[in-house]
Amino acid sequence: MTRINEIVTLARQGNVSVVTLNNPPVNALSHALREGLLNAIAHAGRDKESAAIVIVCEGQTFVAGADITEFGKPPKDPRINAVISAIEESPKPVVAAMHGTVLGGGLELALGCHYRIAVPSARFGFPEVNLGIIPGAGGTQRLPRIVGVERAIEMITSASQISAAQAREAGLLDEVVLGELLAGALAFAQKLVTENRPLKRVRDRDEMLKPVRGNTELFAKARQSVGRKARGLKAPLAAIDAIEAAVNLPFEQALQREREIIMAQVGSDQSKALRYFFFAEREAAKIPGVDTSNQPKVMQAAVIGAGTMGGGIAMSFANAGIAVTLIDVSEQALEKGIGIIQKNYENTAKRGGMSEADVGKRMGLITPSTKLADVAGAEVIVEAVFENTQLKKTVFAEIDRHAQPGAILGTNTSTLDIDDIASATKRPESVIGLHFFSPANVMKLLEVVRTGKTAPAIVARSMALGRQMRKVPVLVGTCDGFVGNRILRARSKQAEQIIMYGGFPHQVDGVLQEFGFPMGVFAMGDMAGLDIGWRIRQERGLKSPVADALCEMGRLGQKTGAGYYRYDPQNPAGARTPIVDPMVNELIVKASNDAGIERKEMNNDLVRERLLYPMINEAAKILEEGVALRASDIDVIWIYGYGWPRYRGGPMHYADAIGLRAVRDRLREFEREFGEAFKPAALLDRLADEDKTFAEYTAEVKAGAAKLESAAA
C-alpha cells in the first residue's frame, strides 16, 4: 500500500488499483482529498501492472459533498473540475464504488468516472439549490447525459435523493452490488478488463440530449413548474438554464456557462443567506456547558391531552419509532383523537407517503388510556392540555405522583410561565418546555425551554430527543411567549394596528407573501383558529376589537368557514383558499371609526417595515436578555417554526443585511410618529452606533464565554 497523503492511499489487488479515501466524518472534498486523489490517479495510471482503477471510501459514506470548512475561503488548486478531468482522461477504466449518501460534489466526482456501482442502501442527489447555488463541477452537464433531461431537472431543482434501485433504473449506476462493496468492485473492474470494455466518458454521451435539442417548450414548462414550487428561490431556475446549455452547446462551452451561472449565484444575497442558515442550524445544536451527544434513545413516552396538539405530538413519537401512551380523561376525546391520528396516517398512505404496513406499525405504537397513572413507565412525558395555568399545574401535580425518577417532564405550553407550572411538582429540575409547533407531526421546530431550575442532564436529553424525533431542537429561556411567539406577538400587534389605521387583512397578508412567507398574519390566524387567541385574551383581560368581534360572530376561521376571510368548499382554488370578505372590511372601518382613528392609505413598503422592524427590535431584546443563546438561533426558530423565507436567512440575518443603523433609524421615525412601542432596543441602539451586526455581537459573547471557561479551568 502507498500512502499518498494523510487521507488517501493507493494499493493494488491483482491488476486493479484501489484508491481509498478516508476523510472523516463524510469524506468531504477537502483540499487534501482533492490533491491526494489527483496524485493517486496519476500513480495508478503509471503503474504498468494495473489495468483498472477503483475509487472507494472508508467510513459511513462515499464522498458526501464539498468541505463546508472551506466555504467562503479563496479556492486552492487542484479544483474538483481538474480532478474530474484527470479521471475522465485516464487511459484505464475508473470505477466509483459507492455507499452511504453520494451528494453534490461526490456525485459529480462519480459522474466523472467511467463506471459507477453501489450497494443497495446508497442514496444519490444534488442538494446545492438548498445553498442558493447549482452543482458547479459539471453536475448540470453530465447528469442529463446519463439520466435524461427531465430526470436531471427534477433531481437538481428539488434537491431530492434517489435510491440505488432508482439510480440503476435511471442509468446512473452500472451495477448494484449485493455483497461486500470492495469485493464487488474488484470483480466488476476485473470483468471490464477481461471483456475489454470501452472507456465510457459521460461527457461524450449524446443520445439522451438529441431528442430534446432545440425544444424550448420543454424548458419553458420546466421553468413554470419549478418556479411554482421554488417560491422565490432563484437557484432552481438557474439550474434549468445550465441544463439547457448542456443540451444546446458543445460540452466545454456549456461547462463554462455552468461556471458563469454558479459564480453569479455564489455572490447573490440568497446564497449568502442560505449558506448562513446552513451553519446556523448546526450551531443551534451546540449548548455551552452541556454535552448533548451520546444520550440514550427514548423508547417509551406519554402524552397527556388527545386534542390537536397532543395527537400530533403522539404521532411525532410514533413516527420516530417510540412507543407512546396517549392519555385523556375523556373517553370521547380519546376516541376522537385516535380516530384523527388513524385518518391522518391513512391519508398519507393514500398519497404514497407510507405503506399500509407502516400505518399499522405506527398505530401499534400508540396506546390510548384514560389513566394518568399510566405515565409511570415513560421516560418522557409531554403535557398538551389547554393553555390554562391552573389546569396545567393540576396535571403536573398528578404527573409528579406517578412519573418514574429521572423522567423528562415536558410541557407544550406556548406562552405560560413554566417555573410556575413546575412549582406544582417536587422535582422542578426535571421540568422543561417542549414546545411543538402545529401540526406537530409535520413541523420540524422544537423549542426546548429551559427554566432557571432545569437540570443540565434534562436539557441534554431533551435536545437529543428532538433530534431522535427528526425535529430541529433549539434551546431557549423562559419568558412570556419564549422566542418564537414573543416575536410573533410583536408582528401581530402591528398587523392589528395597520388594519385599524388604514390597511386591510388582504394587503397585510399580500405584503408578507410577496416577502416570501407562505401565509400572511390573518390567513394564519384563520387556519389556527381565532378562538385560541380569544381564549388567551379573555384569561388575561385583553381586547382586540376586530378579532373579538369576529369571534363573537362565530367566525373562528377555516373550521367555521369564515374568519378574517371567507372559505368556500366549492372554490376551484381550494376550500382553504382565503376569499376577501367586504363585510370584514366594513367591520374594520367601523372599529376604526368607533375608536376615533382617522384612517390613512398605507403603501406596501410602509406595511412591510411596520411588520418586520418591530420583530427585529423584539428579537434584539430577547438576545440581550439571554433568552436566546445566539442571534442565529432566533433565525432557525423563525424559519422552521413560522415560515420566514429561508433565502432571507431569518430576521436577524435580514437585519444585518439591511444594516442595523438603517433599521434603528427607521424605528426612531416610527417612534416619533406612532409612539413608544417602536422605541429601539438598547442592544440594537448600541450595535447601530458601533456599526456592528447581530452576528458580530454573538461572536463576541461566545468569545467572552470561552475566555471565562478557560480561566475557570
Side-chain angles (χ1 to χ4, degrees), residues 1-67:
M1 184 182 75
T2 302
R3 181 163 289 282
I4 303 298
N5 63 17
E6 68 273 19
I7 58 177
V8 179
T9 59
L10 176 65
R12 185 157 42 79
Q13 298 199 29
N15 62 348
V16 178
S17 293
V18 179
V19 179
T20 304
L21 313 179
N22 187 15
N23 184 25
V26 294
N27 289 307
L29 282 164
S30 65
H31 173 257
L33 187 142
R34 299 192 305 270
E35 186 175 60
L37 178 55
L38 186 64
N39 289 335
I41 295 295
H43 275 282
R46 292 192 295 268
D47 185 350
K48 294 180 181 178
E49 301 299 318
S50 172
I53 303 168
V54 167
I55 300 174
V56 69
C57 289
E58 295 281 0
Q60 63 186 16
T61 185
F62 190 76
V63 174
D67 186 344

Side-chain angles (χ1 to χ4, degrees), residues 690-701:
E690 296 172 357
D691 281 325
K692 289 183 177 178
T693 63
F694 288 126
E696 288 171 327
Y697 171 78
T698 297
E700 288 171 4
V701 171

Side-chain angles (χ1 to χ4, degrees), residues 11 19 32 53 80 103 121 146 175 177 205 365 481 508 520 532 568 577:
V19 179
I53 303 168
I80 183 59
L103 305 175
S121 58
I146 202 166
E175 189 173 288
V177 178
R205 297 189 181 187
L365 287 168
V508 171
I532 296 173
D568 182 356
T577 301

Side-chain angles (χ1 to χ4, degrees), residues 286-548:
K286 301 172 185 175
I287 311 301
V290 177
D291 183 8
T292 63
S293 62
N294 301 317
Q295 297 294 320
K297 288 191 178 297
V298 168
M299 303 304 294
Q300 180 70 48
V303 176
I304 301 170
T308 301
M309 285 305 302
I313 295 168
M315 289 178 71
S316 296
F317 280 119
N319 292 345
I322 300 170
V324 55
T325 303
L326 180 60
I327 300 170
D328 202 297
V329 293
S330 162
E331 283 275 11
Q332 186 179 4
L334 196 59
E335 186 177 333
K336 180 181 178 183
I338 290 292
I340 291 171
I341 291 171
Q342 176 89 36
K343 186 177 180 181
N344 285 340
Y345 279 140
E346 288 174 350
N347 287 340
T348 301
K350 286 177 185 176
R351 294 192 299 267
M354 65 173 65
S355 67
E356 289 297 333
D358 288 332
V359 174
K361 182 179 178 182
R362 296 185 194 192
M363 288 302 299
L365 287 168
I366 302 172
T367 303
S369 172
T370 56
K371 299 177 182 177
L372 256 173
D374 285 343
V375 303
E379 299 152 75
V380 57
I381 301 160
V382 181
E383 164 275 309
V385 301
F386 289 127
E387 283 288 275
N388 178 282
T389 299
Q390 191 52 53
L391 174 60
K392 288 179 184 289
K393 289 176 76 171
T394 300
V395 170
F396 265 83
E398 191 68 13
I399 291 172
D400 196 36
R401 289 181 55 217
H402 301 290
Q404 63 176 291
I408 298 170
L409 308 186
T411 173
N412 184 56
T413 182
S414 57
T415 56
L416 301 178
D417 184 346
I418 299 176
D419 281 301
D420 190 20
I421 294 169
S423 71
T425 76
K426 296 183 179 68
R427 40 177 151 174
E429 71 281 356
S430 295
V431 178
I432 195 164
L434 296 176
H435 180 209
F436 292 80
F437 286 71
S438 184
N441 55 302
V442 174
M443 297 293 285
K444 291 187 70 174
L445 179 66
L446 175 65
E447 268 187 324
V448 178
V449 190
R450 171 172 56 183
T451 75
K453 294 181 180 178
T454 307
I458 295 293
V459 172
R461 288 168 56 204
S462 297
M463 293 292 289
L465 171 65
R467 292 193 294 273
Q468 184 182 344
M469 297 173 78
R470 295 185 286 276
K471 302 291 185 185
V472 178
V474 183
L475 185 68
V476 302
T478 184
C479 67
D480 187 11
F482 316 133
V483 170
N485 280 346
R486 182 170 158 183
I487 295 171
L488 180 68
R489 191 178 299 130
R491 189 182 74 176
S492 297
K493 285 179 180 177
Q494 285 309 309
E496 291 174 7
Q497 288 292 301
I498 288 167
I499 63 172
M500 289 292 286
Y501 279 81
F504 289 105
H506 64 274
Q507 181 189 16
V508 171
D509 286 358
V511 165
L512 289 172
Q513 287 186 290
E514 185 180 353
F515 184 78
F517 281 94
M519 187 176 288
V521 174
F522 298 104
M524 185 172 72
D526 278 358
M527 183 182 74
L530 301 183
D531 51 322
I532 296 173
W534 192 30
R535 191 183 306 121
I536 292 170
R537 288 193 300 275
Q538 286 174 328
E539 184 176 331
R540 298 183 178 185
L542 302 175
K543 297 287 185 182
S544 178
V546 177
D548 291 350

